[in-house]
Amino acid sequence: MCYAVSDETRYFCKNQTSMDINRPINRRNALKVLGLGMLSTCVPALPAGGNTRKEKKIKRLIFYFSATGNSLYVSRQIAGEEGTLLSISQEIHNENPVYDAEEIGFVCPVYCFIPPAIVQDFIARSTFKADYFFTVGTYGAHSTIFPEFVDNLAKENGFQMNYINTIQMVDTYLPYFDVDREKADPKNQLIPEKIAAVLAAIDKRENYILPVTEMDRMICEGYYRSSGRDRKRPTVTRSEKIVFATDACIGCGVCTSVCPHGSWKVVDGHSVAEGDCENCLACVHNCPQKAISIIPTPPEPEEPNRNARYRNPNVSIADLIKANSQI
Ligand SMILES: Cc1cc2nc3c(=O)[nH]c(=O)nc-3n(C[C@H](O)[C@H](O)[C@H](O)COP(=O)(O)O)c2cc1C
């Protein structure tokens, strides 16, 4: 089945910022990415005589959103040694979202051909200053209009994307894809090569926006017409309409901390979904007991292949909790 034809539709570790989850970040860098406005309120007054040290800008700042690790993995590869990663699920709460770096990038999954609503919302509420902007979308089957949508999104919010590309990976959308088959798909062998090509292009600061073809437009149009989904927020829903915890749930609470909207709670030892939902399926794929299932689309009596679950092999549950937890 494919998207074209179906009509279906802080770990702010409390006192710590959500800076690069791979490497520790010092307070100075933490303040720097929060923007000059914050710096002026947080850094003690300079001694008389002024600042003798010049602040060095962050080189490459990458904002990512990831439910199952593909986009986090790609973000890490593109960040390299010098880059800084920030989770959009955490930064969406930043009250002074002004970001200044030499290069600013966004890495996220493609949801119904466009960026997830949380990514769009984050871009719309933030101010970005950089010499070079890029976006990389990870997708499973068809990314179609994603580059054009992101290009327009940036323009609407006052900046210009220099580079937009997509990388095909395992498709995590369980209503259409059996991830066991996806994991075995030969397309995955091309991932390292594609990441290397995207990284080389960004390192050279290439100006390139992946073209959108007439076929891409037709696929996208067909999907939106038949599904009737909102063209800007197609996957936004309520978690209780999408997912539920089965009897196998032991109330471990991983779902409560891996959900970017904090829409799970444990009641009497059993997880209950209730609240805003991106349809990202982080809860389903990351449940250690495989006890969370998607609500089947009639006439299906239950989710097919209920044990087929995925997390990018280079990413741990702890990484995704750190990225997404709202607890
Ligand atoms: C709600 C939802 C919608 C998706 N829509 C698309 C899509 O339109 N096209 C596509 O090729 N893949 C789609 N996918 C697959 C993801 O884009 C892909 O698996 C991505 O790499 C997952 O990234 P992550 O592991 O960082 O969360 C969708 C996945 C989900 C959960």
Side-chain angles (χ1 to χ4, degrees), residues 10-13 16-22 62-73 75-76 85-93 107 118 254 256-262 280 282 286 311 315-327:
R10 245 165 196 210
Y11 190 91
F12 257 36
C13 212
Q16 192 186 320
T17 69
S18 65
M19 300 303 163
D20 179 349
I21 69 169
N22 305 304
I62 298 182
F63 298 98
Y64 72 93
F65 174 74
S66 188
T68 44
N70 286 347
S71 308
L72 175 50
Y73 173 63
S75 305
R76 286 175 175 167
L85 299 186
L86 288 179
S87 163
I88 288 175
S89 305
Q90 308 301 339
E91 289 305 308
I92 193 93
H93 305 295
V107 182
I118 193 171
V254 165
T256 65
S257 42
V258 87
C259 172
H261 287 289
C280 74
N286 291 299
R311 188 176 61 254
V315 171
S316 68
I317 290 190
D319 292 335
L320 291 172
I321 288 175
K322 193 169 180 178
N324 290 330
S325 177
Q326 303 297 306
I327 299 170

Short mmCIF file of all heavy atoms in Angstrom, two decimals, residues 10-13 16-22 62-73 75-76 85-93 107 118 254 256-262 280 282 286 311 315-327:
data_model
loop_
_atom_site.label_atom_id
_atom_site.label_comp_id
_atom_site.label_asym_id
_atom_site.label_seq_id
_atom_site.Cartn_x
_atom_site.Cartn_y
_atom_site.Cartn_z
N ARG A 10 10.87 18.12 28.04
CA ARG A 10 12.19 18.81 28.20
C ARG A 10 13.06 18.09 29.19
O ARG A 10 12.69 18.12 30.35
CB ARG A 10 11.93 20.16 28.82
CG ARG A 10 12.28 21.14 27.89
CD ARG A 10 11.70 22.26 28.38
NE ARG A 10 11.70 23.13 27.36
CZ ARG A 10 11.76 24.31 27.40
NH1 ARG A 10 11.78 24.81 28.46
NH2 ARG A 10 11.81 25.00 26.47
N TYR A 11 13.48 16.99 27.54
CA TYR A 11 14.13 16.34 28.64
C TYR A 11 15.09 17.32 29.11
O TYR A 11 16.24 17.20 29.03
CB TYR A 11 14.74 15.10 28.11
CG TYR A 11 15.27 14.18 29.15
CD1 TYR A 11 14.46 13.23 29.62
CD2 TYR A 11 16.54 14.26 29.64
CE1 TYR A 11 14.92 12.36 30.56
CE2 TYR A 11 16.99 13.39 30.59
CZ TYR A 11 16.18 12.44 31.03
OH TYR A 11 16.61 11.57 31.93
N PHE A 12 14.48 18.40 29.52
CA PHE A 12 15.25 19.46 30.09
C PHE A 12 15.73 18.90 31.39
O PHE A 12 15.99 19.59 32.29
CB PHE A 12 14.39 20.68 30.27
CG PHE A 12 14.65 21.68 29.23
CD1 PHE A 12 14.93 21.30 27.95
CD2 PHE A 12 14.68 23.02 29.54
CE1 PHE A 12 15.20 22.21 27.00
CE2 PHE A 12 14.96 23.95 28.57
CZ PHE A 12 15.21 23.54 27.29
N CYS A 13 15.75 17.59 31.53
CA CYS A 13 16.32 16.93 32.68
C CYS A 13 16.12 17.86 33.86
O CYS A 13 16.96 18.07 34.70
CB CYS A 13 17.80 16.70 32.42
SG CYS A 13 18.48 15.28 33.15
N GLN A 16 18.45 21.04 33.27
CA GLN A 16 19.47 21.00 32.22
C GLN A 16 18.81 21.36 30.90
O GLN A 16 17.64 21.10 30.72
CB GLN A 16 19.95 19.55 32.16
CG GLN A 16 21.17 19.32 31.37
CD GLN A 16 21.42 17.81 31.32
OE1 GLN A 16 21.23 17.10 32.29
NE2 GLN A 16 21.81 17.33 30.19
N THR A 17 19.55 21.94 29.99
CA THR A 17 18.94 22.24 28.70
C THR A 17 18.99 20.99 27.84
O THR A 17 19.68 20.03 28.14
CB THR A 17 19.68 23.37 27.97
OG1 THR A 17 20.94 22.90 27.58
CG2 THR A 17 19.79 24.61 28.82
N SER A 18 18.27 21.05 26.74
CA SER A 18 18.22 19.88 25.85
C SER A 18 19.27 19.97 24.77
O SER A 18 19.08 19.50 23.67
CB SER A 18 16.86 19.82 25.19
OG SER A 18 16.70 20.94 24.36
N MET A 19 20.38 20.59 25.03
CA MET A 19 21.43 20.73 24.03
C MET A 19 21.82 19.36 23.50
O MET A 19 21.44 18.35 24.02
CB MET A 19 22.65 21.39 24.64
CG MET A 19 22.38 22.75 25.19
SD MET A 19 21.73 23.78 23.92
CE MET A 19 21.04 25.08 24.87
N ASP A 20 22.65 19.39 22.51
CA ASP A 20 23.14 18.20 21.83
C ASP A 20 23.09 16.98 22.72
O ASP A 20 23.75 16.89 23.74
CB ASP A 20 24.59 18.49 21.43
CG ASP A 20 25.21 17.32 20.73
OD1 ASP A 20 24.60 16.26 20.74
OD2 ASP A 20 26.29 17.53 20.18
N ILE A 21 22.27 16.05 22.31
CA ILE A 21 22.08 14.92 23.20
C ILE A 21 23.22 13.92 23.12
O ILE A 21 23.27 12.97 23.87
CB ILE A 21 20.74 14.21 22.95
CG1 ILE A 21 20.75 13.51 21.60
CG2 ILE A 21 19.59 15.16 23.06
CD1 ILE A 21 19.57 12.61 21.45
N ASN A 22 24.16 14.15 22.22
CA ASN A 22 25.28 13.22 22.13
C ASN A 22 26.47 13.68 22.94
O ASN A 22 27.26 12.90 23.42
CB ASN A 22 25.75 13.08 20.67
CG ASN A 22 24.60 12.68 19.80
OD1 ASN A 22 23.98 11.68 20.07
ND2 ASN A 22 24.31 13.48 18.80
N ILE A 62 21.50 22.45 14.44
CA ILE A 62 20.47 21.62 13.79
C ILE A 62 19.30 21.39 14.75
O ILE A 62 19.48 20.93 15.88
CB ILE A 62 21.04 20.26 13.35
CG1 ILE A 62 22.15 20.47 12.32
CG2 ILE A 62 19.94 19.37 12.76
CD1 ILE A 62 22.77 19.19 11.78
N PHE A 63 18.11 21.72 14.27
CA PHE A 63 16.89 21.43 15.00
C PHE A 63 16.30 20.15 14.42
O PHE A 63 16.15 20.05 13.20
CB PHE A 63 15.89 22.57 14.84
CG PHE A 63 16.39 23.87 15.39
CD1 PHE A 63 16.96 24.81 14.57
CD2 PHE A 63 16.31 24.13 16.76
CE1 PHE A 63 17.45 26.02 15.08
CE2 PHE A 63 16.80 25.31 17.28
CZ PHE A 63 17.36 26.26 16.45
N TYR A 64 15.96 19.22 15.27
CA TYR A 64 15.42 17.96 14.75
C TYR A 64 14.16 17.56 15.48
O TYR A 64 13.94 17.93 16.64
CB TYR A 64 16.46 16.83 14.84
CG TYR A 64 16.69 16.37 16.27
CD1 TYR A 64 15.96 15.31 16.80
CD2 TYR A 64 17.59 17.04 17.10
CE1 TYR A 64 16.14 14.91 18.12
CE2 TYR A 64 17.77 16.64 18.42
CZ TYR A 64 17.05 15.58 18.91
OH TYR A 64 17.21 15.20 20.22
N PHE A 65 13.34 16.82 14.76
CA PHE A 65 12.21 16.13 15.38
C PHE A 65 12.31 14.68 14.95
O PHE A 65 12.59 14.39 13.78
CB PHE A 65 10.86 16.72 14.91
CG PHE A 65 9.68 15.93 15.42
CD1 PHE A 65 9.30 16.01 16.74
CD2 PHE A 65 9.00 15.06 14.59
CE1 PHE A 65 8.23 15.25 17.23
CE2 PHE A 65 7.94 14.28 15.06
CZ PHE A 65 7.56 14.40 16.38
N SER A 66 12.12 13.77 15.88
CA SER A 66 12.25 12.35 15.53
C SER A 66 11.42 11.50 16.47
O SER A 66 11.49 11.67 17.69
CB SER A 66 13.73 11.93 15.61
OG SER A 66 13.89 10.63 15.11
N ALA A 67 10.62 10.60 15.90
CA ALA A 67 9.80 9.70 16.72
C ALA A 67 10.46 8.33 16.85
O ALA A 67 10.37 7.67 17.89
CB ALA A 67 8.42 9.54 16.11
N THR A 68 11.13 7.90 15.80
CA THR A 68 11.70 6.55 15.79
C THR A 68 13.19 6.54 15.46
O THR A 68 13.76 5.48 15.21
CB THR A 68 10.91 5.65 14.81
OG1 THR A 68 10.65 6.36 13.60
CG2 THR A 68 9.59 5.24 15.39
N GLY A 69 13.79 7.70 15.41
CA GLY A 69 15.26 7.76 15.35
C GLY A 69 15.88 8.04 14.00
O GLY A 69 17.05 8.41 13.94
N ASN A 70 15.14 7.87 12.90
CA ASN A 70 15.77 8.10 11.59
C ASN A 70 16.29 9.54 11.48
O ASN A 70 17.45 9.76 11.09
CB ASN A 70 14.76 7.85 10.45
CG ASN A 70 14.49 6.38 10.22
OD1 ASN A 70 15.21 5.52 10.74
ND2 ASN A 70 13.45 6.07 9.46
N SER A 71 15.45 10.48 11.84
CA SER A 71 15.84 11.90 11.68
C SER A 71 16.91 12.28 12.70
O SER A 71 17.79 13.10 12.41
CB SER A 71 14.62 12.81 11.81
OG SER A 71 13.60 12.35 10.94
N LEU A 72 16.86 11.67 13.88
CA LEU A 72 17.91 11.94 14.88
C LEU A 72 19.25 11.40 14.37
O LEU A 72 20.29 12.06 14.47
CB LEU A 72 17.54 11.33 16.23
CG LEU A 72 18.59 11.43 17.34
CD1 LEU A 72 19.13 12.84 17.51
CD2 LEU A 72 18.04 10.92 18.66
N TYR A 73 19.21 10.21 13.80
CA TYR A 73 20.44 9.62 13.27
C TYR A 73 21.03 10.51 12.17
O TYR A 73 22.23 10.84 12.19
CB TYR A 73 20.16 8.21 12.73
CG TYR A 73 21.33 7.60 12.02
CD1 TYR A 73 22.52 7.35 12.71
CD2 TYR A 73 21.28 7.30 10.67
CE1 TYR A 73 23.62 6.80 12.06
CE2 TYR A 73 22.37 6.76 10.01
CZ TYR A 73 23.54 6.52 10.71
OH TYR A 73 24.63 6.00 10.06
N SER A 75 20.48 13.67 11.69
CA SER A 75 20.92 14.93 12.32
C SER A 75 22.33 14.79 12.88
O SER A 75 23.17 15.67 12.71
CB SER A 75 20.02 15.32 13.49
OG SER A 75 18.71 15.39 13.09
N ARG A 76 22.57 13.67 13.57
CA ARG A 76 23.90 13.46 14.15
C ARG A 76 24.98 13.39 13.09
O ARG A 76 26.07 13.92 13.26
CB ARG A 76 23.93 12.15 14.93
CG ARG A 76 23.21 12.21 16.24
CD ARG A 76 23.22 10.82 16.81
NE ARG A 76 22.65 10.78 18.13
CZ ARG A 76 22.31 9.66 18.73
NH1 ARG A 76 22.49 8.50 18.14
NH2 ARG A 76 21.80 9.69 19.93
N LEU A 85 23.01 19.97 18.28
CA LEU A 85 21.66 19.48 18.02
C LEU A 85 20.70 19.99 19.08
O LEU A 85 21.02 19.96 20.27
CB LEU A 85 21.61 17.95 18.08
CG LEU A 85 22.45 17.13 17.11
CD1 LEU A 85 22.12 15.66 17.27
CD2 LEU A 85 22.19 17.55 15.69
N LEU A 86 19.54 20.43 18.63
CA LEU A 86 18.48 20.81 19.56
C LEU A 86 17.19 20.12 19.15
O LEU A 86 16.84 20.11 17.97
CB LEU A 86 18.27 22.32 19.57
CG LEU A 86 19.36 23.19 20.21
CD1 LEU A 86 18.99 24.67 20.08
CD2 LEU A 86 19.54 22.84 21.68
N SER A 87 16.49 19.58 20.13
CA SER A 87 15.24 18.89 19.84
C SER A 87 14.09 19.90 19.74
O SER A 87 13.85 20.68 20.66
CB SER A 87 14.94 17.88 20.94
OG SER A 87 13.58 17.51 20.87
N ILE A 88 13.37 19.82 18.64
CA ILE A 88 12.22 20.73 18.45
C ILE A 88 11.16 20.50 19.52
O ILE A 88 10.52 21.44 20.00
CB ILE A 88 11.66 20.56 17.02
CG1 ILE A 88 12.63 21.17 16.02
CG2 ILE A 88 10.26 21.16 16.88
CD1 ILE A 88 12.29 20.98 14.56
N SER A 89 10.99 19.26 19.96
CA SER A 89 9.99 18.96 21.00
C SER A 89 10.29 19.70 22.30
O SER A 89 9.39 19.95 23.10
CB SER A 89 9.95 17.46 21.30
OG SER A 89 9.72 16.73 20.13
N GLN A 90 11.57 20.03 22.51
CA GLN A 90 11.95 20.80 23.70
C GLN A 90 11.96 22.30 23.40
O GLN A 90 11.44 23.11 24.16
CB GLN A 90 13.34 20.37 24.20
CG GLN A 90 13.51 18.88 24.41
CD GLN A 90 12.53 18.31 25.42
OE1 GLN A 90 11.98 19.04 26.26
NE2 GLN A 90 12.29 17.01 25.35
N GLU A 91 12.55 22.65 22.28
CA GLU A 91 12.70 24.07 21.94
C GLU A 91 11.38 24.76 21.67
O GLU A 91 11.29 25.98 21.74
CB GLU A 91 13.64 24.23 20.73
CG GLU A 91 15.09 23.93 21.05
CD GLU A 91 15.61 24.74 22.21
OE1 GLU A 91 15.47 25.98 22.21
OE2 GLU A 91 16.16 24.11 23.14
N ILE A 92 10.35 24.01 21.38
CA ILE A 92 9.02 24.59 21.14
C ILE A 92 8.54 25.34 22.39
O ILE A 92 7.68 26.19 22.31
CB ILE A 92 8.02 23.49 20.71
CG1 ILE A 92 6.71 24.07 20.14
CG2 ILE A 92 7.69 22.51 21.82
CD1 ILE A 92 6.70 24.24 18.67
N HIS A 93 9.16 25.05 23.54
CA HIS A 93 8.78 25.73 24.79
C HIS A 93 9.67 26.92 25.12
O HIS A 93 9.48 27.58 26.14
CB HIS A 93 8.84 24.74 25.96
CG HIS A 93 8.00 23.51 25.74
ND1 HIS A 93 6.63 23.56 25.64
CD2 HIS A 93 8.34 22.21 25.56
CE1 HIS A 93 6.16 22.34 25.41
NE2 HIS A 93 7.19 21.51 25.35
N VAL A 107 16.00 18.96 10.53
CA VAL A 107 15.90 17.58 10.06
C VAL A 107 14.65 16.98 10.69
O VAL A 107 14.47 17.03 11.92
CB VAL A 107 17.15 16.75 10.44
CG1 VAL A 107 17.02 15.33 9.89
CG2 VAL A 107 18.42 17.41 9.91
N ILE A 118 4.38 20.06 14.46
CA ILE A 118 5.23 20.61 15.53
C ILE A 118 6.45 21.33 14.93
O ILE A 118 6.90 22.35 15.47
CB ILE A 118 5.64 19.50 16.54
CG1 ILE A 118 6.24 20.10 17.81
CG2 ILE A 118 6.56 18.48 15.91
CD1 ILE A 118 6.46 19.07 18.94
N VAL A 254 7.25 4.18 29.61
CA VAL A 254 8.10 4.67 28.51
C VAL A 254 7.26 5.54 27.57
O VAL A 254 7.70 6.60 27.12
CB VAL A 254 8.77 3.50 27.75
CG1 VAL A 254 9.35 3.96 26.42
CG2 VAL A 254 9.87 2.89 28.61
N THR A 256 4.85 7.46 28.27
CA THR A 256 4.59 8.79 28.85
C THR A 256 5.77 9.73 28.58
O THR A 256 5.58 10.94 28.50
CB THR A 256 4.35 8.72 30.38
OG1 THR A 256 5.55 8.26 31.02
CG2 THR A 256 3.21 7.80 30.74
N SER A 257 6.98 9.17 28.47
CA SER A 257 8.13 10.05 28.29
C SER A 257 8.66 10.11 26.86
O SER A 257 9.46 10.99 26.56
CB SER A 257 9.25 9.68 29.27
OG SER A 257 9.42 8.31 29.36
N VAL A 258 8.19 9.25 25.99
CA VAL A 258 8.69 9.32 24.61
C VAL A 258 7.73 10.13 23.72
O VAL A 258 8.05 10.46 22.58
CB VAL A 258 8.93 7.88 24.08
CG1 VAL A 258 7.66 7.27 23.47
CG2 VAL A 258 10.06 7.84 23.10
N CYS A 259 6.57 10.46 24.26
CA CYS A 259 5.55 11.19 23.48
C CYS A 259 5.88 12.68 23.44
O CYS A 259 5.98 13.33 24.48
CB CYS A 259 4.18 10.98 24.12
SG CYS A 259 2.89 12.02 23.37
N PRO A 260 6.00 13.27 22.23
CA PRO A 260 6.37 14.69 22.15
C PRO A 260 5.28 15.63 22.64
O PRO A 260 5.52 16.82 22.83
CB PRO A 260 6.64 14.90 20.65
CG PRO A 260 5.95 13.78 19.96
CD PRO A 260 5.92 12.63 20.92
N HIS A 261 4.08 15.11 22.85
CA HIS A 261 3.00 15.94 23.39
C HIS A 261 2.65 15.57 24.83
O HIS A 261 1.73 16.14 25.41
CB HIS A 261 1.75 15.84 22.51
CG HIS A 261 1.89 16.58 21.22
ND1 HIS A 261 1.90 17.96 21.14
CD2 HIS A 261 2.05 16.14 19.95
CE1 HIS A 261 2.05 18.32 19.89
NE2 HIS A 261 2.16 17.24 19.14
N GLY A 262 3.33 14.62 25.40
CA GLY A 262 3.05 14.21 26.78
C GLY A 262 1.61 13.73 26.93
O GLY A 262 0.95 14.02 27.93
N CYS A 280 2.78 10.44 15.44
CA CYS A 280 4.18 10.07 15.13
C CYS A 280 4.48 8.61 15.42
O CYS A 280 5.44 8.05 14.93
CB CYS A 280 5.15 10.98 15.89
SG CYS A 280 5.28 10.64 17.67
N ALA A 282 5.59 7.29 18.08
CA ALA A 282 6.75 7.04 18.96
C ALA A 282 6.36 6.08 20.08
O ALA A 282 7.11 5.17 20.44
CB ALA A 282 7.26 8.35 19.54
N ASN A 286 8.22 2.42 20.30
CA ASN A 286 9.23 2.37 21.37
C ASN A 286 8.78 1.62 22.62
O ASN A 286 9.54 1.51 23.58
CB ASN A 286 9.67 3.78 21.74
CG ASN A 286 10.47 4.44 20.62
OD1 ASN A 286 11.54 3.94 20.25
ND2 ASN A 286 9.96 5.52 20.06
N ARG A 311 12.83 0.96 15.59
CA ARG A 311 13.59 2.14 16.05
C ARG A 311 14.91 2.10 15.31
O ARG A 311 15.50 1.03 15.16
CB ARG A 311 13.81 2.11 17.56
CG ARG A 311 14.41 3.40 18.09
CD ARG A 311 14.55 3.45 19.60
NE ARG A 311 15.44 2.39 20.08
CZ ARG A 311 15.05 1.30 20.71
NH1 ARG A 311 13.78 1.08 21.00
NH2 ARG A 311 15.92 0.39 21.07
N VAL A 315 20.02 4.49 17.34
CA VAL A 315 19.40 5.41 18.30
C VAL A 315 18.75 4.58 19.42
O VAL A 315 18.12 3.57 19.15
CB VAL A 315 18.35 6.28 17.56
CG1 VAL A 315 17.50 7.09 18.53
CG2 VAL A 315 19.04 7.21 16.56
N SER A 316 18.92 5.04 20.66
CA SER A 316 18.37 4.28 21.79
C SER A 316 17.04 4.89 22.26
O SER A 316 16.72 6.03 21.93
CB SER A 316 19.37 4.29 22.96
OG SER A 316 19.47 5.60 23.47
N ILE A 317 16.32 4.12 23.05
CA ILE A 317 15.08 4.66 23.63
C ILE A 317 15.43 5.88 24.48
O ILE A 317 14.72 6.89 24.44
CB ILE A 317 14.36 3.61 24.52
CG1 ILE A 317 13.79 2.49 23.66
CG2 ILE A 317 13.23 4.28 25.32
CD1 ILE A 317 12.86 1.54 24.42
N ALA A 318 16.55 5.79 25.22
CA ALA A 318 16.95 6.92 26.07
C ALA A 318 17.15 8.18 25.24
O ALA A 318 16.78 9.29 25.66
CB ALA A 318 18.22 6.58 26.84
N ASP A 319 17.73 8.02 24.04
CA ASP A 319 17.92 9.19 23.15
C ASP A 319 16.58 9.82 22.79
O ASP A 319 16.44 11.05 22.77
CB ASP A 319 18.58 8.77 21.83
CG ASP A 319 20.02 8.31 21.98
OD1 ASP A 319 20.68 8.73 22.95
OD2 ASP A 319 20.48 7.54 21.11
N LEU A 320 15.60 8.97 22.50
CA LEU A 320 14.31 9.50 22.07
C LEU A 320 13.53 10.08 23.24
O LEU A 320 12.78 11.06 23.09
CB LEU A 320 13.50 8.42 21.34
CG LEU A 320 14.10 8.03 19.98
CD1 LEU A 320 13.40 6.82 19.39
CD2 LEU A 320 14.06 9.21 19.00
N ILE A 321 13.73 9.50 24.43
CA ILE A 321 13.11 10.08 25.63
C ILE A 321 13.70 11.46 25.88
O ILE A 321 13.00 12.44 26.10
CB ILE A 321 13.30 9.15 26.85
CG1 ILE A 321 12.41 7.91 26.69
CG2 ILE A 321 13.00 9.88 28.16
CD1 ILE A 321 12.60 6.86 27.76
N LYS A 322 15.02 11.53 25.77
CA LYS A 322 15.70 12.81 25.98
C LYS A 322 15.20 13.85 24.97
O LYS A 322 15.01 15.02 25.29
CB LYS A 322 17.21 12.60 25.85
CG LYS A 322 18.02 13.76 26.34
CD LYS A 322 19.48 13.37 26.43
CE LYS A 322 20.30 14.53 26.93
NZ LYS A 322 21.71 14.19 27.07
N ALA A 323 14.98 13.40 23.76
CA ALA A 323 14.53 14.32 22.71
C ALA A 323 13.09 14.77 22.93
O ALA A 323 12.77 15.94 22.69
CB ALA A 323 14.65 13.63 21.35
N ASN A 324 12.23 13.87 23.36
CA ASN A 324 10.79 14.15 23.28
C ASN A 324 10.07 14.34 24.60
O ASN A 324 8.94 14.85 24.61
CB ASN A 324 10.09 13.02 22.51
CG ASN A 324 10.47 13.04 21.03
OD1 ASN A 324 10.75 14.08 20.48
ND2 ASN A 324 10.49 11.88 20.41
N SER A 325 10.67 13.92 25.71
CA SER A 325 9.92 13.90 26.96
C SER A 325 9.39 15.27 27.36
O SER A 325 10.12 16.27 27.33
CB SER A 325 10.79 13.36 28.09
OG SER A 325 10.04 13.41 29.30
N GLN A 326 8.15 15.28 27.77
CA GLN A 326 7.52 16.51 28.26
C GLN A 326 7.34 16.45 29.78
O GLN A 326 6.67 17.29 30.37
CB GLN A 326 6.15 16.70 27.58
CG GLN A 326 6.23 16.74 26.06
CD GLN A 326 7.05 17.91 25.54
OE1 GLN A 326 6.79 19.07 25.89
NE2 GLN A 326 8.07 17.63 24.72
N ILE A 327 7.93 15.43 30.38
CA ILE A 327 7.77 15.26 31.84
C ILE A 327 8.80 16.08 32.59
O ILE A 327 9.96 16.07 32.23
CB ILE A 327 7.92 13.76 32.23
CG1 ILE A 327 6.84 12.95 31.54
CG2 ILE A 327 7.83 13.60 33.74
CD1 ILE A 327 7.04 11.45 31.67
#
